[in-house]
Amino acid sequence: MESEAENSSGKKTPLSYYYETFELDTYFTQNKIKIPEVEKPGFSFRKLWAFTGPGFLMSIAYLDPGNIESDLQSGSVGRYRLLWVLFTATILGYLLQSLATKLGVVTGLHLAEMCYRQYRKFPRLVLWIMVEIAVIGSDMQEVIGTSIAIYLLSNKVIPLWAGCLITIADTFTFLFLDKYGLRKLELFFGILISIMGITFGYEYIVSGPPQEEVVKGLFIPWCQDCDSKVLLQAVGVIGAILMPHNLYLHSALVKSRDIDRKNPKKITEARMYYYIENGMALICSFIINIFVVSVFAFGLFEKTNREILNECPKNESLVYDRAKEVFPDNNDLVDADIYRGGVYLGCTYGAAAMYIWAIGILAAGQSSTMTGTYSGQFAMEGFLDLQWARWKRVLFTRSIAMVPTFFTAFFSSLNELTAMNDFLNAVMSLQLPFAIIPMVAFTSNPKIMGEFVNGMVLKVIAIVLSVVIIGINIFFVTGTILEQDIDPDIYIGIGIVAALYFTFVLYLALHLYVSLGNKRIESHPWIQKYVIYAEMNTPKRTA
């Protein structure tokens, strides 16, 4: 059964792009948002409003506690000198998210579902495991960040492990909001983003960093007198912003709108509105990130523990007692994290600033934990072609991420948990090729995208950016490993894992090269046997 579209002359012509008549049973199959028809041609705010939602859910990953901690560390280590890196990383993120949007809109399949159709079983399972590792790493940052926020708000009454349990429980509760309509769920996320904007914006206003320095840091790519620590932090900013599982998430979220994919004009229209919405969402997240970097660039850059402790009013025992715990009476530079950051704000601007900071972190952690759960579910159902009941999918994917998080929180101290951020960013950076390479391969494959395939310029830009981003993240991971006090014998194991890792990356790169349309290499017997198969570009059809 061939899918067809009606052209201007009224004749039906086969669609040039990948089209399945088989509707997959995902969250949005029975709950899609209708796109209004308008009489006037051209741009419509009504349509933009109908398409608004997925981009803001996606942007949550740019505001999770791991990113917030990376922001405050880049401010305390590099002052305003790394704001342009944040700006650049956000632009790169927009380009990658746009490709994810394009894949979902054109094919009607999200990235994990397309991986199921394009890769053989073994590499597909390895990809799924890598994505799950990224989800677990991100989820640990999110849940631990939420637990720290609860710890701050409860005046240390609720321990971190109990905060983890609370986060698990309320995540299950909030996730079922879409039972009352997808729009209500999107509204809830909008409220959480607004809370982050208000709380972190408040800290920005009360601290009052010099605006000319902020603007200079944003638009002048400079890093005067930067040492290796600052450069490594700059790479860490990019690693924290570009999340591999977020590409899988976004390609699935865009399926929530009822788009007539048999009509290429409707696809073009949907892509345009999604690109606008993506831009608006990332601008909001970017502004919030600027708030955090600037606050701590102004307050913690080259500050010692003793200076912060001396600035903390002793008559406010609620804050001062916490300051004594986290800021030793020495001349070491402050090692910033989200907990110390909150205590510093309480010392400098009053206890209210500390609690407002904690509320912002709570909103960031809660919202990102929910989107992380969605990412895990989309990955599992796509890579494994599972059609479980919804509660089973939620329970299974939450258990994969939450069990290691809970035990980590239970058996670790606050200092150990807050020190895990760089390690977890390194883990997620390693998974980035397993999202970028497949996405570039699929959107550059003419058999999949047809008339919507990436043009030559976009292909070159996407591939070059992919190589640069992956290289930067590998540099970050290597630097993070070298900073650790590791037994020399362990380096042998690291070398073996690294060899396997790069072998698999090269395999994916070979698949990408074939996807670009090289007929000569595609017909090679080894490629036919191990890389592609005859059914890989054949859509599923209903009878």
Side-chain angles (χ1 to χ4, degrees), residues 27 128 132 134-147 163-176 189 245 364-380 388-407:
Y27 277 7
W128 174 60
E132 288 295 346
V135 171
I136 292 171
S138 177
D139 215 35
M140 290 182 75
Q141 289 180 315
E142 294 154 0
V143 174
I144 289 170
T146 309
S147 302
C164 286
L165 292 178
I166 292 172
T167 305
I168 296 169
D170 59 25
T171 298
F172 274 113
T173 303
F174 292 140
L175 276 172
F176 286 97
F189 276 97
H245 61 283
Q366 187 60 72
S367 56
S368 56
T369 302
M370 293 166 64
T371 55
T373 302
Y374 279 124
S375 299
Q377 290 176 73
F378 292 138
M380 184 187 73
W388 289 0
R390 188 182 169 200
W391 69 269
K392 292 181 180 179
R393 283 180 282 177
V394 174
L395 180 62
F396 182 73
T397 51
R398 289 312 292 151
S399 299
I400 289 177
M402 292 309 306
V403 170
T405 304
F406 172 77
F407 282 105

Side-chain angles (χ1 to χ4, degrees), residues 318-441:
L318 187 65
V319 178
Y320 185 73
D321 290 343
R322 297 188 186 200
K324 287 193 299 183
E325 294 175 359
V326 296
F327 298 116
D329 190 8
N330 58 38
N331 289 318
D332 294 342
L333 294 178
V334 173
D335 186 12
D337 54 50
I338 55 177
Y339 184 77
R340 289 189 182 93
V343 176
Y344 151 74
L345 291 171
C347 284
T348 309
Y349 306 110
M354 180 177 71
Y355 290 122
I356 290 172
W357 168 258
I359 291 171
I361 296 297
L362 182 64
Q366 187 60 72
S367 56
S368 56
T369 302
M370 293 166 64
T371 55
T373 302
Y374 279 124
S375 299
Q377 290 176 73
F378 292 138
M380 184 187 73
E381 70 184 18
F383 278 111
L384 305 182
D385 197 28
L386 291 180
Q387 299 298 319
W388 289 0
R390 188 182 169 200
W391 69 269
K392 292 181 180 179
R393 283 180 282 177
V394 174
L395 180 62
F396 182 73
T397 51
R398 289 312 292 151
S399 299
I400 289 177
M402 292 309 306
V403 170
T405 304
F406 172 77
F407 282 105
T408 301
F410 191 82
F411 292 106
S412 302
S413 66
L414 177 63
N415 287 336
E416 289 171 332
L417 288 176
T418 53
M420 288 180 63
N421 192 56
D422 285 344
F423 172 75
L424 293 174
N425 278 339
V427 169
M428 287 183 288
S429 294
L430 283 171
Q431 315 310 319
L432 198 55
F434 308 126
I436 293 181
I437 295 177
M439 187 179 62
V440 174

Side-chain angles (χ1 to χ4, degrees), residues 200 203-204 207 209 290-299 344-345:
F200 299 141
E203 310 291 2
Y204 183 83
S207 63
I290 290 174
F291 289 159
V292 178
V293 174
S294 302
V295 166
F296 294 97
F298 179 71
Y344 151 74
L345 291 171

Side-chain angles (χ1 to χ4, degrees), residues 233-524:
Q233 185 61 49
V235 177
V237 169
I238 299 174
I241 286 288
L242 303 176
M243 299 264 192
H245 61 283
N246 205 35
L247 300 175
Y248 286 90
L249 172 69
H250 199 190
S251 64
L253 292 174
V254 296
K255 294 173 58 179
S256 61
R257 269 51 183 176
D258 191 11
I259 302 167
D260 181 9
R261 294 185 47 255
K262 291 184 179 180
N263 187 341
K265 290 182 179 179
K266 295 294 183 180
I267 291 179
T268 301
E269 177 186 73
R271 288 175 57 206
M272 178 191 72
Y273 283 111
Y274 273 135
Y275 290 166
I276 295 171
E277 191 238 0
N278 295 347
M280 294 190 303
L282 289 182
I283 287 172
C284 291
S285 67
F286 177 58
I287 291 172
I288 294 172
N289 282 317
I290 290 174
F291 289 159
V292 178
V293 174
S294 302
V295 166
F296 294 97
F298 179 71
L300 287 184
F301 179 66
E302 293 187 342
K303 284 287 186 71
T304 65
N305 291 312
R306 180 170 293 150
E307 286 176 309
I308 299 298
L309 194 60
N310 290 337
E311 290 174 4
C312 200
K314 295 182 180 180
N315 59 335
E316 289 202 28
S317 60
L318 187 65
V319 178
Y320 185 73
D321 290 343
R322 297 188 186 200
K324 287 193 299 183
E325 294 175 359
V326 296
F327 298 116
D329 190 8
N330 58 38
N331 289 318
D332 294 342
L333 294 178
V334 173
D335 186 12
D337 54 50
I338 55 177
Y339 184 77
R340 289 189 182 93
V343 176
Y344 151 74
L345 291 171
C347 284
T348 309
Y349 306 110
M354 180 177 71
Y355 290 122
I356 290 172
W357 168 258
I359 291 171
I361 296 297
L362 182 64
Q366 187 60 72
S367 56
S368 56
T369 302
M370 293 166 64
T371 55
T373 302
Y374 279 124
S375 299
Q377 290 176 73
F378 292 138
M380 184 187 73
E381 70 184 18
F383 278 111
L384 305 182
D385 197 28
L386 291 180
Q387 299 298 319
W388 289 0
R390 188 182 169 200
W391 69 269
K392 292 181 180 179
R393 283 180 282 177
V394 174
L395 180 62
F396 182 73
T397 51
R398 289 312 292 151
S399 299
I400 289 177
M402 292 309 306
V403 170
T405 304
F406 172 77
F407 282 105
T408 301
F410 191 82
F411 292 106
S412 302
S413 66
L414 177 63
N415 287 336
E416 289 171 332
L417 288 176
T418 53
M420 288 180 63
N421 192 56
D422 285 344
F423 172 75
L424 293 174
N425 278 339
V427 169
M428 287 183 288
S429 294
L430 283 171
Q431 315 310 319
L432 198 55
F434 308 126
I436 293 181
I437 295 177
M439 187 179 62
V440 174
F442 302 153
T443 55
S444 300
N445 189 334
K447 294 179 181 178
I448 296 174
M449 304 301 289
E451 62 194 273
F452 299 103
V453 70
N454 294 338
M456 181 56 65
V457 174
L458 185 55
K459 286 178 184 178
V460 172
I461 292 174
I463 292 172
V464 170
L465 285 179
S466 301
V467 172
V468 171
I469 292 168
I470 291 169
I472 287 173
N473 282 282
I474 289 173
F475 171 79
F476 170 63
V477 171
T478 304
T480 302
I481 291 174
L482 293 177
E483 280 190 340
Q484 310 302 315
D485 186 16
I486 299 177
D487 189 291
D489 293 336
I490 297 179
Y491 279 109
I492 298 175
I494 293 175
I496 295 172
V497 172
L500 294 173
Y501 173 87
F502 284 111
T503 299
F504 188 57
V505 170
L506 289 173
Y507 175 88
L508 295 179
L510 179 61
H511 181 276
L512 187 156
Y513 186 57
V514 174
S515 299
L516 293 176
N518 190 303
K519 300 293 185 181
R520 181 179 176 185
I521 191 172
E522 183 179 349
S523 61
H524 192 281

